[in-house]
Amino acid sequence: MFSSLRIINKPVCFAAEAAINGYAKRAMSVSALAGFEGKNFISIDKLSNEELRGLLDLSKKYRDTYGKKSTVDPTTAPKPLTGKSVSMIFQKRSTRTRVSTETGMNLLGGQSLFLGPSDIQLGVNESMRDTALVLSRFNSIVLARVFSHNDVLQLAEHATVPVINALSDMHHPLQTLADLMALEDHFGDLKGKTLAWVGDGNNVLHDLMLGSAKLGMNVRIATPKGYEADAGVLETTRKLGAESGTEDVFTTNDASEAVKGSDVVVTDTWVSMGQESEYEKKMKEFDGYQVNSSLMKKANPGAVFLHCLPRHPEEVSDEVFYSEQSLVFPEAENRMWTVMAVMAAQLGKI
């Protein structure tokens, strides 16, 4: 009788042991963020592999603590950023960036201040240097969503508090954290998986291929001629991939070729904010780049789809976007957990 009871309980014990080991590994990786206090968050390649791992695991910890499935009472949940604040400079509007940052900062006990184009004319009526120095006097963090990457670099150079790049024309590191978190939730370990990008070689791609290479993923890229990824970022990705033991980055102008053998298919908007006049031109040049069922069938069985939103029907068909293959809504939710992790780590409140 006692022997059979032990046998029955073995799966439960193994599951509990696995959960404990998982939490222990997460705690260990998060501890690597101890040296991240005071650092800027500008692009994924500026993170060490340990910092990237720590930010992803801290994001998962916050989801477990503050998420809708959490059993923690919101009124008694930890508020590590009480008394802290973030100023959010928005040259470009965004649903996910604003809502995720404001809500996430509130959950952690801090405050956020939205500064839109009508509130602050970055680098126009006041120099970038003066803006950075003034906001540093008021706020604990400066987050900026801007057109030019040089604006973020100038803010980071002159601010005396940590700066977060919430998007520039060259990089979008917060989006990559959310993407990688969604992929790890779905697949587990990503090493050896293959990610295919179909579309414009833009800021979203830049950080995603950097982060994918750091985690050991193979990268395949299809862009129309004239829309290739930045050569410098591509070279950095190749170096990171070599360190992680991945295949060389594959580039092509044929969407079908890029998707072959992939486990993840990703696209983004073809016409970014400020490029509206190029709409008709891009529709012609991106013909054949829509992610649809036919294209997804060329990927590996069980392949998933990502899009950072907002999306347009010419970029991805409804059949794919709303399918079980699509991770776009968990991906969007992760924008909050990841920005929370970045802010807490920058302020040494992990």
Side-chain angles (χ1 to χ4, degrees), residues 7-196:
I7 293 173
I8 292 172
N9 286 333
K10 275 185 178 180
V12 177
C13 293
F14 289 150
E17 183 178 354
I20 291 170
N21 288 338
Y23 282 116
K25 287 182 179 179
R26 183 185 297 180
M28 186 176 296
S29 71
V30 169
S31 68
L33 293 173
F36 198 70
E37 183 175 358
K39 286 189 177 181
N40 297 316
F41 182 73
I42 304 299
S43 59
I44 292 296
D45 59 310
K46 303 303 181 186
L47 298 174
S48 68
N49 290 353
E50 292 75 19
E51 287 170 342
L52 175 58
R53 176 76 270 144
L55 288 173
L56 288 170
D57 285 346
L58 183 57
S59 301
K60 295 170 186 178
K61 175 185 174 182
Y62 283 152
R63 180 182 57 195
D64 292 345
T65 303
Y66 302 95
K68 292 185 177 180
K69 294 182 180 180
S70 172
T71 58
V72 178
D73 184 344
T75 61
T76 59
K79 305 293 181 185
L81 299 191
T82 299
K84 304 297 182 179
S85 64
V86 55
S87 57
M88 308 187 305
I89 300 171
F90 275 60
Q91 289 182 339
K92 301 179 73 171
R93 63 184 181 272
S94 170
T95 300
R96 281 148 298 281
T97 303
R98 180 175 180 179
V99 175
S100 63
T101 305
E102 290 191 4
T103 306
M105 192 58 158
N106 178 265
L107 287 172
L108 293 174
Q111 294 181 314
S112 53
L113 176 66
F114 176 78
L115 299 172
S118 62
D119 302 308
I120 179 173
Q121 297 186 49
L122 194 62
V124 179
N125 289 338
E126 188 169 31
S127 72
M128 203 73 65
R129 179 177 184 176
D130 291 356
T131 298
L133 290 171
V134 168
L135 292 179
S136 297
R137 296 275 179 153
F138 298 129
N139 303 116
S140 313
I141 296 172
V142 176
L143 176 146
R145 181 179 171 87
V146 298
F147 288 99
S148 172
H149 188 63
N150 189 55
D151 287 351
V152 171
L153 295 180
Q154 286 192 56
L155 285 171
E157 178 183 356
H158 298 297
T160 58
V161 297
V163 170
I164 296 175
N165 177 11
L167 177 141
S168 69
D169 59 358
M170 183 61 71
H171 290 286
H172 197 356
L174 285 174
Q175 183 62 52
T176 289
L177 289 182
D179 293 351
L180 296 177
M181 182 177 173
L183 293 177
E184 286 193 341
D185 287 340
H186 183 81
F187 290 114
D189 186 10
L190 298 180
K191 190 172 181 61
K193 297 292 183 183
T194 298
L195 180 142

Side-chain angles (χ1 to χ4, degrees), residues 27 34 39-40 49 133 160-161 171 221 236 269 273 284-285 292 349:
K39 286 189 177 181
N40 297 316
N49 290 353
L133 290 171
T160 58
V161 297
H171 290 286
I221 302 169
T236 301
T269 183
M273 194 180 304
K284 294 177 182 178
E285 294 175 331
N292 49 38
K349 301 293 184 179

